[in-house]
């Protein structure tokens, strides 16, 4: 069984848990208490030198970085659960294109907005609303493009769901909880896509904790 070392509510831990659910891969969550700084302790740093969650131990194979973990698990178990990464070269290239879109045109803006609106206040630090406004302005233009793309196909890489869609879920959900759901809902194709991926059983199983 895959041992998932992470924090139940962390975005990246839940992404790995989501992939495990989609791929029907049993996993055991080994809780890392971020509030106590366990991710910065020597034993953890010895395995994950950046002191971040999660990492996995798959029968002695250690891997960190949630996107790398997700790809590894998907490719290790190609014949069970949801495919998530195509094997046809052209389809895989479209998946990689979509994955790059998420990293550069979504996560790059949504993650710091969530950090400002949710993570900083939890630590007693004031939100920098000017930073939020600037990031949100840039994100709006990106989501307009998403709406065009998703007006031509069901998902970002075509008409089948892939990892590139699912990577939007943890931070996208936090973005909505931070008061920005309208940014998805006001764009019809984005709204349809967001409703489809955010209601997947695998996500519903982990959205409140890995």
């Amino acid at each position: 069984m895959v041992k998932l070392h992470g924090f139940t509510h962390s975005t990246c831990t839940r992404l790995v848990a989501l992939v495990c659910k989609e791929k029907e891969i049993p996993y055991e969550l080994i809780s890392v208490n971020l509030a106590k700084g366990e991710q910065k302790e020597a034993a953890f740093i010895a395995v994950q030198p950046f002191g971040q969650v999660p990492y996995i131990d798959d029968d002695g194979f250690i891997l960190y970085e949630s996107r790398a973990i997700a790809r590894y698990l998907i490719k290790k178990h190609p014949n069970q659960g949801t495919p998530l990464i195509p094997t046809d070269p052209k389809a895989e290239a479209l998946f990689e294109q979509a994955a790059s879109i998420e990293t550069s045109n979504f996560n790059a803006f949504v993650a710091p907005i969530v950090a400002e609106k949710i993570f900083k206040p939890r630590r007693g630090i004031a939100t920098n609303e000017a930073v939020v406004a600037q990031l949100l302005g840039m994100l709006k233009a990106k989501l307009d493009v998403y709406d065009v793309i998703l007006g031509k196909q069901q998902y970002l890489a075509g008409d089948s769901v892939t990892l590139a869609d699912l990577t939007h879920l943890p931070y996208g959900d936090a973005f909505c909880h931070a008061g920005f759901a309208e940014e998805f809902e006001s764009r019809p194709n984005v709204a349809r896509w967001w409703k489809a991926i955010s209601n997947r059983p695998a996500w519903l199983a982990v959205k409140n904790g890995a």
Side-chain angles (χ1 to χ4, degrees):
M1 181 181 292
V2 172
K3 293 182 179 180
L4 172 58
H5 294 254
F7 178 60
T8 184
H9 297 303
S10 91
T11 52
C12 294
T13 301
R14 283 182 292 144
L15 174 61
V16 175
L18 168 60
V19 169
C20 286
K21 293 290 186 181
E22 288 279 358
K23 296 298 293 179
E24 302 172 3
I25 302 167
Y27 70 92
E28 177 187 1
L29 178 67
I30 309 298
S31 183
V32 179
N33 191 323
L34 303 188
K36 293 183 178 179
E38 290 179 354
Q39 77 281 13
K40 301 299 183 183
E41 293 178 357
F44 192 93
I45 293 290
V47 180
Q48 214 294 15
F50 293 99
Q52 300 168 341
V53 294
Y55 74 82
I56 62 165
D57 179 343
D58 184 22
D59 195 25
F61 177 63
I62 305 298
L63 187 66
Y64 53 85
E65 292 297 326
S66 59
R67 287 173 173 79
I69 296 169
R71 280 170 161 78
Y72 164 73
L73 293 173
I74 291 165
K75 292 192 173 187
K76 184 181 178 183
H77 302 276
N79 299 319
Q80 65 188 59
T82 313
L84 294 180
I85 296 178
T87 55
D88 171 79
K90 290 181 179 178
E92 185 174 6
L94 291 172
F95 156 73
E96 292 294 352
Q97 174 181 265
S100 293
I101 288 170
E102 184 270 334
T103 302
S104 301
N105 297 290
F106 184 83
N107 191 70
F109 303 99
V110 171
I113 289 173
V114 168
E116 288 288 344
K117 297 294 285 187
I118 296 180
F119 300 156
K120 285 176 68 172
R122 285 178 182 171
R123 302 197 305 271
I125 304 171
T127 294
N128 188 328
E129 295 292 352
V131 168
V132 173
Q134 182 182 32
L135 290 166
L136 189 60
M138 292 185 285
L139 177 65
K140 287 175 183 283
K142 305 297 187 180
L143 290 176
D144 287 342
V145 179
Y146 267 60
D147 207 52
V148 173
I149 294 170
L150 292 167
K152 299 175 182 178
Q153 56 200 41
Q154 293 295 301
Y155 298 98
L156 283 179
D159 289 325
S160 297
V161 68
T162 68
L163 176 63
D165 301 292
L166 301 187
T167 48
H168 290 76
L169 283 165
Y171 269 110
D173 184 65
F175 181 69
C176 291
H177 280 92
F180 299 108
E182 174 65 17
E183 297 302 331
F184 296 159
E185 295 167 358
S186 63
R187 295 168 173 83
N189 300 312
V190 172
R192 185 263 313 153
W193 165 78
W194 182 252
K195 182 179 180 180
I197 62 172
S198 62
N199 281 287
R200 293 184 68 81
W203 171 244
L204 296 177
V206 303
K207 68 176 293 185
N208 294 321

